[in-house]
Amino acid sequence: MVTLEKDDINNSNNIPVAEGKSKFVKEKLEQLNAAMSSEPLDLANLRKLAISDGGFINDKVRRNVWPKLLQCDVGKTIDVLNRDQLEEHNYYQQVILDVNRSQKRFPIDIGSEELKEKQKELTEFVMKVLCLNPSLHYYQGFHDVCATFLLVVGRDIGIVMVDTLCNHHLREFLDVTLDRTRQMLNYIEPIVRKANPDLGDYLKRSEVGHVFALSWLITWYSHVLDDFTEIARLYDFFIACHQLMPVYLAAAVILHRAPEILATDCDMASLHCLLSKMPNDMPWELLITKAGSLFLKFPPSSLAKLARQHYSQSMSIIGLITNLISPTSSIADTRVRSRTPANRTPLPPHRPVWFSTTVVVGVALVGVVAVIAYNKLAKYLW
């Protein structure tokens, strides 16, 4: 049962309506109570409430509703892992590095000692999820997702929830490569083109691509937003919806910023610089509604062919550049690799000077265009 207290109204800053706030919160909590107390659980209504204005109101309510929405077994026992087990994991050192850089994910008024404790807790959180899913691969940004659940629902329930998401909403991001993640990003182009053909053509001519939106997708926007209230509100939306909804929201953001985009020079550098910076005053409630409308108007099944075509075109360019650099690596793959000797790619054998000279000359003869393309792509990888 979700109970109403005075603080539930006072702390509901993500609700867009100032006047009538108390009434709004009471009505929404009544609807949440009805949905959560029904037998069986009224998942359809919970999803509607997650999408509607204000989402789940505040973190206290989210602690009750999020696990129900994901149908998690909150009583699930998580095996206790000792320090040696965590530190021996392939991804432990990378997780430590990423968590140590994540100060902005915690409250700004937190003390240094409490921050260290929270970062330690986050590290253990991430590592336990990875240990529960040995076939999955850590990516930079996964710790941002885990941090949100740690701060909202706490460690134990958060681990169970993220474990569930790792096998559903987040599954593609945890592959050994980011190929399937790139395929998801390629839905942005047909959505924008269908909703605003002029804007779609402008973006295509600029060759800006969608790398700027990679961090939006794989962190559910928590890496690019500073306001935790906004982050939690978006998580209400994403937990309740199809796994491609963050992509539709990306399209909604781009469409909303159409005047800025069309007023910017039509080249990769200028537009990437613009789009990679998320404004602080985005109307997220409006954009959530827009993303939902786009999803209904242009469902994934209707865009799959166009997305595959766009993916093939982008991969043909990436493939050319990759072959110039190394026949066994991909510059578009930002996956964090295991650092254990058993999984480390062996160094190529020593080659004589004449071989290196031949390779350099050969690469130069391929053409200046490929070099320019590489320089453009390489510096924009997130």
Side-chain angles (χ1 to χ4, degrees):
M1 179 71 72
V2 181
T3 57
L4 174 66
E5 295 179 5
K6 186 176 180 180
D7 285 346
D8 290 320
I9 299 172
N10 295 338
N11 296 331
S12 303
N13 296 324
N14 56 328
I15 296 173
V17 215
E19 187 178 349
K21 189 180 203 180
S22 176
K23 180 181 179 182
F24 179 91
V25 174
K26 287 179 180 177
E27 289 177 352
K28 192 145 205 181
L29 284 171
E30 288 174 0
Q31 293 172 325
L32 284 167
N33 281 329
M36 291 184 66
S37 60
S38 66
E39 290 291 343
L41 183 70
D42 191 349
L43 281 173
N45 202 28
L46 278 182
R47 292 188 178 108
K48 289 178 184 177
L49 292 168
I51 297 168
S52 64
D53 279 358
F56 291 138
I57 302 172
N58 60 42
D59 291 349
K60 179 183 175 182
V61 177
R62 291 184 179 101
R63 280 191 284 275
N64 286 279
V65 181
W66 277 7
K68 294 283 188 182
L69 192 58
L70 281 180
Q71 297 181 283
C72 293
D73 179 9
V74 294
K76 180 179 178 180
T77 302
I78 303 297
D79 292 337
V80 177
L81 302 174
N82 61 44
R83 174 61 57 181
D84 288 341
Q85 288 175 298
L86 295 179
E87 293 181 358
E88 288 171 2
H89 195 282
N90 294 346
Y91 291 117
Y92 179 75
Q93 292 302 324
Q94 185 61 52
V95 172
I96 286 287
L97 289 173
D98 291 342
V99 170
N100 286 343
R101 293 191 291 256
S102 66
Q103 291 95 331
K104 78 165 195 171
R105 293 306 322 279
F106 298 98
I108 57 175
D109 58 349
I110 193 171
S112 58
E113 290 304 314
E114 188 179 356
L115 174 61
K116 288 179 183 178
E117 193 59 35
K118 279 293 181 185
Q119 288 179 319
K120 178 183 176 182
E121 197 174 3
L122 177 57
T123 299
E124 293 177 352
F125 185 119
V126 175
M127 296 310 306
K128 285 183 178 179
V129 173
L130 292 174
C131 289
L132 287 170
N133 298 275
S135 64
L136 302 184
H137 299 266
Y138 175 78
Y139 62 88
Q140 288 177 295
F142 183 63
H143 68 293
D144 285 304
V145 176
C146 292
T148 302
F149 286 94
L150 174 64
L151 292 171
V152 173
V153 300
R155 183 191 61 191
D156 294 340
I157 295 176
I159 289 172
V160 175
M161 291 189 68
V162 175
D163 178 50
T164 301
L165 288 168
C166 282
N167 294 286
H168 295 90
H169 293 64
L170 306 176
R171 180 61 188 82
E172 277 71 13
F173 312 151
L174 293 153
D175 281 348
V176 68
T177 71
L178 287 177
D179 284 348
R180 290 203 293 172
T181 302
R182 285 196 297 264
Q183 291 175 28
M184 292 173 71
L185 284 173
N186 282 302
Y187 278 82
I188 295 175
E189 193 269 344
I191 298 170
V192 172
R193 181 176 290 275
K194 283 180 173 291
N196 187 332
D198 291 340
L199 180 61
D201 289 341
Y202 197 78
L203 291 170
K204 186 171 184 178
R205 289 202 310 274
S206 75
E207 299 181 342
V208 69
H210 306 117
V211 176
F212 62 84
L214 178 60
S215 64
W216 306 358
L217 176 60
I218 65 177
T219 71
W220 279 6
Y221 295 74
S222 58
H223 185 75
V224 293
L225 296 180
D226 294 326
D227 188 335
F228 189 77
T229 302
E230 294 178 345
I231 293 170
R233 172 65 188 100
L234 293 184
Y235 274 51
D236 292 342
F237 182 46
F238 297 146
I239 289 171
C241 294
H242 190 281
Q243 68 183 108
L244 278 172
M245 196 55 79
V247 174
Y248 281 82
L249 185 64
V253 168
I254 293 168
L255 289 164
H256 177 75
R257 301 186 68 188
E260 290 178 83
I261 294 170
L262 294 173
T264 303
D265 291 341
C266 188
D267 64 74
M268 179 189 288
S270 300
L271 285 175
H272 180 88
C273 182
L274 173 72
L275 291 168
S276 61
K277 297 174 183 175
M278 187 71 73
N280 292 324
D281 58 348
M282 297 297 286
W284 290 112
E285 292 297 339
L286 177 66
L287 293 172
I288 285 171
T289 301
K290 179 66 174 177
S293 298
L294 291 170
F295 186 90
L296 293 174
K297 193 173 183 180
F298 312 118
S301 58
S302 71
L303 302 174
K305 184 177 179 180
L306 292 172
R308 282 194 300 270
Q309 289 173 352
H310 186 75
Y311 177 73
S312 298
Q313 292 167 4
S314 63
M315 287 307 294
S316 65
I317 297 172
I318 290 172
L320 170 61
I321 297 165
T322 299
N323 288 334
L324 288 175
I325 299 167
S326 167
T328 59
S329 64
S330 171
I331 64 166
D333 180 14
T334 60
R335 173 75 57 222
V336 177
R337 299 297 182 181
S338 168
R339 286 167 169 74
T340 56
N343 294 315
R344 187 178 293 150
T345 304
L347 292 172
H350 175 70
R351 295 188 177 100
V353 175
W354 65 264
F355 180 88
S356 300
T357 304
T358 303
V359 171
V360 171
V361 173
V363 169
L365 291 175
V366 172
V368 177
V369 174
V371 176
I372 294 173
Y374 163 65
N375 289 333
K376 286 183 175 181
L377 279 175
K379 69 180 179 180
Y380 294 132
L381 291 175
W382 179 79

